[in-house]
Amino acid sequence: MRLRRFIVPFFGALLVLLTLIIVLLGFAAVRDEFAERERMARLLTQSVYARLLHQLRGVEEILPFLVTARGETAALDVVLLSPVDGQRTGSAVRGALPLGFHPTSVGPLWATSPLFSPSGDPLLVRLVESEGRSFVVGVHLDLQEVFSDDDGLEALRRMILCDARGVVLWGLPDDPFVSRGMIPPSFLRSQPQWSKAPWGDLFWGRAYSLPLAGLRLFVHVPLRSFLKTLVGRLYLPVLLGLSSLLLLWSFWSIVSRQVLDPMEQARLAAVSMRDHLDSVRIPSDYTATIEELSRGMTIFSQGSRLEEVTTFGQALASSLQTLVAQQEELISYSQELESMNVALTETNEAIRHREDLWRCMLEASRAVSSKGDEGLLGRMAEILLDVGEASGVAVDRVEGEGLVLLVEKGYLGLPSRTALPFDACLAGRAVREGRPLWIADVGTESGYFEVHDEVRSEFLLPLVHMGRVLGVLTLSWKERRERDDHLIESLVPLGAFLAGSLDVQRSLEELRQSYSYMAGRLQHLTALYHDETAEHVARTEAYCRFLARRLGKNDEEIERVGFFSRLHDIGKLRVPRYILTKPGRLTAEEFELIKNHTRWGAEILGEARWLDPGRKICLYHHERWDGKGYPEGLAGEAIPWEARVMALADVYDALRSSRAYKGAFSHEKAVSIILEGDDRLRPGHFDPALVEIFRREHGELDVIFNSYREDEV
C-alpha cells in the first residue's frame, strides 16, 4: 500500500533528524565545555597571579624581621635566606645553598632557579638588600589556598605552574606531567590545541603567561573528561529521542496490523475481482465473483480489533450482498432483453435492407440527374454488389429471342458472347416465366449457361416495365447461398427501376439514331449546297477522332466530337451560294456575312442537351487561341476543347484540298504553314497542346488524308 511504502522512508528521515539533533547537541556541549574551561582557566590564572603576588609581597615585608631574628620567625614560605658578599656566600640564616652556587646568577627580580626546597620543590629566588647587606631569598610556592571548593580542587588537578622552559614548579602529585617534572615546550602554546601526551593519551591543553618571573600556568583536560561531560549532557536527549522512536514504531505496528493489513487484504480481493470481471462474460460468473468478494470483506471485518474498521467491513459486505441480489435480478432482465434483442435484430436487418435499397435508389437517381443514363448501369451494378454481398452482377437486355450482355461487375471479366437464346440459359427461363428465380446450386440446374466457373448460386430477376420484360438482372455468389426473401423483396423495386432505365435507354438510342439520320441528311444537304465532298467530311471526322484521342479524351467524348464534326459548317446553308462558290477573294461585306455561319449553325441544331457538343463546334470552330478569331473573340481555355480540335482539323484539310479560290497544297506545305505560319495563319491561332501533337504526329494526318482522297471515289 502507498502508506506502507511511505512509512519506511518516514522513519528513516526521522532517525536521520534525531541523529542530526544529537550531533548538534554534542557540538553545542563540546563548545560549552571549551568555553567553560576557558572561563575557569582565566579565573584561575588571575587567582594564581594574585596569590603569588600577595605571597611574594608578604615575604618582602617580613624579610627585615627574618634577618634580625636570624630565621627564627614562622615565615613558612621563606625556605632560603642566605647572606652574600660579592661572589661569596655566608652562613645561611634559613635553609642552605648548594656547593658551587654563584650568587651572581640571582638578580633583583623574582625568578625561577635550579634551587629546591627540602621537600624537593623548585624555589623562586631574588637578591634583596636589608641593613646594608645582600641576601638571597628563596620562596616555596603553595597554591593550595587558591582552591577552597570542590570545583577548584577539580580544576587544580588540571593545572600546572611551570617556567618558560616547561620545568614544573607546582602541581598535584597525581598529575603525570608533575611526576615527570617537565612539560614539552611544544605544549606551551597560547592557543588551545589537541595533543597527544608522551604516555599516549589525548588531551586538550593551553598555556597562560603570568606577568611574574616568566611563569606559565598550563591547563590541560584529558579526552575522557570531555567524553564524560558529553555523555552527561546528551544522555537525556538521546534517551528521549529513542523513546519517541520506539513509541512511534509501536503505534505504527498497531495501525499496520489492525488497519493496514486488513485494508490490504480488501484491496487484493477487489483487484482480484476486477481482473476476474474483465475476463468473464457470463452474468452468473459476475455474481459468483461478487459473492467471493463479500466473503473476503467479512473476513476482513473479523480480522481487525478496531471498531471503525470492523464497521466498515461489515457495511461493505452487506452492500456487496445487496449487489448480488440486484445482479440476479439483472440476469433475469437480461434474459428477457436477449429474447427481445433477437426480435429487434431481425427487424433491424429488414430495415437495413430497406435502407440499402433506398440508398441505392437515391444514388441511382443522383447519377441519372447528374449525367443522364450514361454509365448508370455500371454504377447500379457496383451498388448491387455491395447490397447483395454478391461475387458478380450482370445486366442483360432482351433483343428479339435472345439476351445481350450490357454490363457486368465482379466476375473479373466475362467471356465475350453474342446474343444468348432464351433456351440456352436460366436468364431466358426467367424472361419466359416472368418471375424471379433463386438457384441455390447452379450445378444441379438443367439449362444453366456457365457464366463463371466459380459461381455456385444465382438470383435472376426479370426487368419488367409497362408489362414488357426488357432484360434480366443476375446476382451470383461463389459459395452456396439459400433463398433470401428479404433480399428478393429489396431487389424487386430496384429491378423495376432498372427496367425503366433500360426503357429510357432504348428510347434515347432510338432518338439518337433519328438525330444521327437527320444530321447525316443535313450534312449531305450542306455538301450539295457548297460543293463539300463526302471525303472531306470523313477526313475531318477522322482528324478530330485522332486528335481527341491524343488529348486523352475518353471513348464517349471521342465519339461525340467525331459525329458532330460532320455538322461544323451546317450554318452555311443560310449563306448565299454565289458567295460560297465565288472563285476570287471575298469583299469585306461578303466575309462579314459568311462569318455568321457559326451562329446560324448553332441555331439550326437547336437547344437539345445531347446536341451541346455540336453547338460548341458550330459556334466556336473559328475562334483562335490568341483571341483573334470569331464570332466572340474567345481565347485560350475559354474556347471549348471540341472547337479547338475542329479548328486544327478544318484548317489542315482546307490547306490540303482544292477550293474555288485556291489549289491544293502538299502535306509538307500544309505542315510548314501550320507550324511556321504565312500571311494569313499563325501557330498562335491553335491550342499549343494540339500544335505539339501535330508537330510530333502530323504524318498520321497525312495517312488519313490519303485514305480518303477524292480521286479514289
Side-chain angles (χ1 to χ4, degrees), residues 160-162 165-168 177-178 180-188 218:
I160 300 174
L161 188 66
C162 64
R165 297 169 300 169
V167 178
V168 176
F177 284 108
V178 175
R180 290 174 178 267
M182 187 70 181
I183 300 174
S186 61
F187 295 166
L188 300 177
F218 179 62

Side-chain angles (χ1 to χ4, degrees), residues 18 41 69 93 179 186 223 270 291 357 421 423 427 476 489 506 508 530 578 693:
L18 180 61
V93 177
S179 63
S186 61
L223 176 62
E291 287 180 347
L357 171 63
D423 296 336
S476 303
E489 185 180 359
R506 183 190 299 272
L508 287 175
H530 62 91
Y578 76 90
I693 292 172

Side-chain angles (χ1 to χ4, degrees), residues 629-641:
Y630 65 87
E632 297 180 8
L634 300 181
E637 297 290 342
I639 306 171
W641 72 269

